[in-house]
């Protein structure tokens, strides 16, 4: 299926890791898998998960203020605890926690009321399902498989694996039929091969229920876009892609993690990502009661304020100049006639653009409208000169990143050669 156009123009999504792990503030699923806490202590958190102040409309309002166009909620992480009242029950918050209700329906409704696309995260693996640890890896890695994820040598149980796949397919089918997600964000794929997961059959099930569903690359060869994590790639992945990034160092709520990225750092991550043609999926971790911590709220609102001042350079744009043409990220209007240059630091004298064959009609500062002088120096035969743009005045500078709109005399035309031999 062709990629849904809403995804490539969304630019910003919000990633929510919300589950019982917020009760004690431990790592989602991994904390019992790696032995950070005992399995017994981890599962005791079921008794403390209340969602007592969960207000998905407030979430949606915050995401809209942040400038996001979609959000992804962890419908079921590796711990197997579903956030909805699933008929394919192993563990869910409706039956097994004081929350006592489905948490996904309201999320989907609230997002759609704000014209935001609905994404749901689902882990292929379930480290609490009795039928899950029933196969061995085809090619064992360096780390010994855990008792939560793989059968002991000689103890494989193909019938149990068939039951597990039926459970997984039943839950995914429910998500598609009941909540009609625009995007399904899968995870946990590393523990099995594509054939063991029966990815083709799962993809067919999803597409039969909703052919417009966008799937991430953790559906392996059936994914629609790449999903790098925690660091902007130096070269954009082929095709559509999305960087998932935490506001501090954790996916879920960990009150002891105070390593919050500043608004300025988030602006840098965001502009570097969209400058390479990707989306930023920014992760926040709600508390167990459903509220988002104020430090994360403030950063979402700060990023949103910057986006609102520079929306012209964000939405309706494509990847900008390749590295080496401008000292910073850039985007390009859909008609390829306006370049948006991002300047993180105050230019002292001028901003330069190299390899630009186009004549420049006008340069303005987004957000203030200030017009800047420009000129070209040098150049020989096929090699164009350098376009110099006067530095903005102090009153035109943005606290986080200043954006210059460079209007061209036609579609962008760049020189990419090596000069005269």
């Amino acid at each position: 299926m062709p990629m849904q156009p809403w995804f490539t123009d969304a630019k910003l999504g919000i990633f929510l890791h919300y589950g019982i792990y917020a009760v004690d503030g431990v790592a989602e699923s991994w904390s019992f898998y790696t032995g950070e806490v005992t399995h017994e202590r981890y599962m005791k958190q079921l008794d403390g998960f209340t969602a007592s102040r969960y207000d998905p409309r407030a979430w949606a309002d915050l995401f809209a203020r942040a400038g996001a166009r979609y959000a992804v909620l962890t419908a079921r992480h590796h711990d197997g605890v579903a956030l909805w009242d699933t008929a394919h029950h192993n563990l869910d918050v409706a039956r097994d926690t004081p929350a006592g209700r489905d948490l996904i329906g309201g999320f989907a409704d609230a997002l759609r009321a704000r014209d935001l696309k609905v994404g749901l995260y689902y882990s292929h693996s379930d480290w609490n399902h009795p039928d899950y640890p029933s196969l061995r890896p085809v090619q064992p890695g360096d780390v010994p498989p855990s008792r939560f994820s793989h059968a002991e040598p000689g103890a494989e149980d193909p019938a149990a694996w068939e039951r597990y796949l039926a459970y997984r397919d039943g839950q995914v089918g429910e998500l598609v039929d009941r909540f009609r997600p625009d995007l399904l964000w899968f995870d946990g794929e590393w523990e099995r091969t594509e054939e063991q997961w029966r990815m083709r059959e799962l993809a067919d099930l999803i597409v039969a229920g909703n052919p417009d569903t966008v799937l991430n690359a953790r559906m392996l060869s059936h994914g629609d876009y790449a999903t790098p994590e925690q660091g902007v790639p130096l070269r954009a992945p082929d095709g559509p892609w999305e960087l998932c990034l935490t506001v501090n160092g954790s996916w879920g709520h960990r009150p002891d993690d105070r390593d919050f990225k500043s608004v300025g750092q988030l602006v840098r991550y965001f502009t570097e990502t969209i400058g390479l043609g990707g989306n930023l999926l920014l992760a926040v971790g709600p508390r167990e009661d459903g509220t988002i911590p104020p430090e994360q709220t403030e950063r979402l609102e700060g990023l949103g304020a910057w986006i609102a001042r520079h929306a012209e350079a964000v939405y309706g744009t494509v990847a900008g100049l390749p590295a080496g043409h401008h000292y910073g990220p850039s985007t390009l209007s859909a008609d390829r006639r306006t370049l948006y240059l991002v300047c993180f630091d105050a230019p002292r004298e001028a901003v330069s653009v190299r390899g630009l064959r186009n004549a420049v009609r006008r340069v303005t500062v987004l957000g203030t409208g200030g017009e800047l002088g420009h000129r070209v120096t040098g150049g020989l035969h096929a090699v164009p000169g350098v376009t110099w743009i006067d530095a903005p005045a102090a009153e035109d500078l943005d606290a986080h990143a200043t954006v210059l709109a460079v209007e061209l005399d036609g579609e962008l035309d760049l020189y990419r050669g090596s000069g005269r031999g």
Side-chain angles (χ1 to χ4, degrees):
M1 298 294 294
M3 187 58 170
Q4 296 299 310
W6 72 261
F7 179 84
T8 51
D9 194 43
K11 308 304 182 186
L12 180 65
I14 306 299
F15 205 3
L16 296 124
H17 282 64
Y18 185 40
I20 66 168
Y21 36 86
V23 173
D24 290 344
V26 297
E28 60 290 335
S29 305
W30 288 99
S31 54
F32 77 81
Y33 187 89
T34 61
E36 176 188 340
V37 301
T38 65
H39 183 260
E40 181 183 12
R41 177 190 162 190
Y42 186 94
M43 300 312 297
K44 184 66 177 173
Q45 294 177 106
L46 288 165
D47 298 333
F49 185 76
T50 67
S52 58
R53 299 173 62 192
Y54 173 58
D55 183 356
R57 291 172 298 181
W59 282 10
D61 290 344
L62 172 60
F63 304 158
R65 293 197 302 276
R69 297 291 176 87
Y70 65 109
V72 179
L73 174 64
T74 47
R76 202 212 72 194
H77 208 266
H78 315 316
D79 62 10
V81 182
L83 292 192
W84 78 103
D85 51 341
T86 173
H88 302 271
H89 177 248
N90 179 41
L91 293 165
D92 68 56
V93 297
R95 294 176 179 85
D96 302 305
T97 76
R101 66 195 190 280
D102 159 55
L103 301 180
I104 294 183
F107 171 79
D109 292 343
L111 260 59
R112 291 187 170 118
R114 293 303 307 259
D115 200 26
L116 303 177
K117 298 295 185 181
V118 176
L120 296 176
Y121 167 112
Y122 186 87
S123 174
H124 293 293
S125 54
D126 182 341
W127 295 334
N128 265 314
H129 196 285
D131 291 326
Y132 183 66
S134 53
L135 292 183
R136 298 284 295 170
V138 173
Q139 294 181 336
D142 296 331
V143 179
S146 165
R147 65 185 179 88
F148 297 112
S149 57
H150 295 95
E152 293 295 327
E156 290 192 306
D157 186 345
W161 183 245
E162 292 299 323
R163 291 194 300 269
Y164 178 77
L165 290 179
Y167 155 81
R168 179 207 60 180
D169 291 351
Q171 287 198 328
V172 172
E174 277 186 332
L175 293 176
V176 173
D177 293 341
R178 287 180 57 180
F179 307 115
R180 310 294 294 175
D182 301 288
L183 182 152
L184 280 171
W185 210 104
F186 285 95
D187 201 7
E189 81 296 340
W190 65 86
E191 291 193 332
R192 303 284 188 268
T193 66
E194 183 160 340
E195 292 73 21
Q196 287 175 317
W197 286 125
R198 297 192 191 152
M199 289 297 194
R200 176 179 293 280
E201 290 84 350
L202 180 60
D204 288 345
L205 180 153
I206 295 165
V207 170
N210 181 9
D212 294 332
T213 309
V214 175
L215 305 175
N216 73 338
R218 298 170 197 200
M219 280 290 290
L220 301 176
S221 66
H222 300 280
D224 298 311
Y225 69 93
T227 55
E229 286 189 29
Q230 294 288 53
V232 180
L234 297 181
R235 182 183 64 81
D238 294 333
W241 65 281
E242 163 197 84
L243 169 67
C244 50
L245 178 79
T246 53
V247 170
N248 53 3
S250 306
W251 298 105
H253 176 58
R254 302 207 69 175
D256 58 340
D257 181 356
R258 310 298 298 171
D259 191 18
F260 294 104
K261 299 172 180 66
S262 68
V263 172
Q265 288 174 319
L266 293 176
V267 168
R268 289 193 180 220
Y269 274 109
F270 178 65
T271 55
E272 288 168 352
T273 299
I274 66 172
L276 286 172
N279 291 349
L280 178 63
L281 184 64
L282 188 58
V284 297
R287 303 182 184 100
E288 69 81 19
D289 66 2
T291 58
I292 295 174
E295 299 89 346
Q296 298 188 340
T297 297
E298 291 164 8
R299 282 156 177 81
L300 291 186
E301 291 178 334
L303 176 59
W306 185 91
I307 291 173
R309 292 192 298 272
H310 304 92
E312 179 185 325
V314 174
Y315 307 114
T317 65
V318 297
L321 297 170
H325 290 270
H326 161 61
Y327 291 113
S330 61
T331 60
L332 180 64
S333 61
D335 65 5
R336 304 185 63 81
R337 291 173 176 267
T338 304
L339 266 174
Y340 300 99
L341 308 178
V342 179
C343 304
F344 293 133
D345 302 307
R348 294 186 177 183
E349 178 184 354
V351 175
S352 64
V353 183
R354 294 168 298 284
L356 186 61
R357 289 192 177 112
N358 301 80
V360 173
R361 296 175 55 196
R362 188 171 72 137
V363 181
T364 55
V365 182
L366 282 194
T368 69
E371 190 159 346
L372 305 177
H374 54 89
R375 61 199 177 281
V376 177
T377 62
L380 178 66
H381 304 315
V383 183
V386 175
T387 299
W388 298 93
I389 299 167
D390 293 342
E395 59 268 22
D396 286 329
L397 296 175
D398 185 89
H400 301 302
T402 304
V403 180
L404 311 183
V406 182
E407 299 175 26
L408 308 174
D409 67 348
E411 293 188 15
L412 176 67
D413 184 11
L414 289 180
Y415 173 75
R416 298 285 288 159
S418 56
R420 184 173 177 177

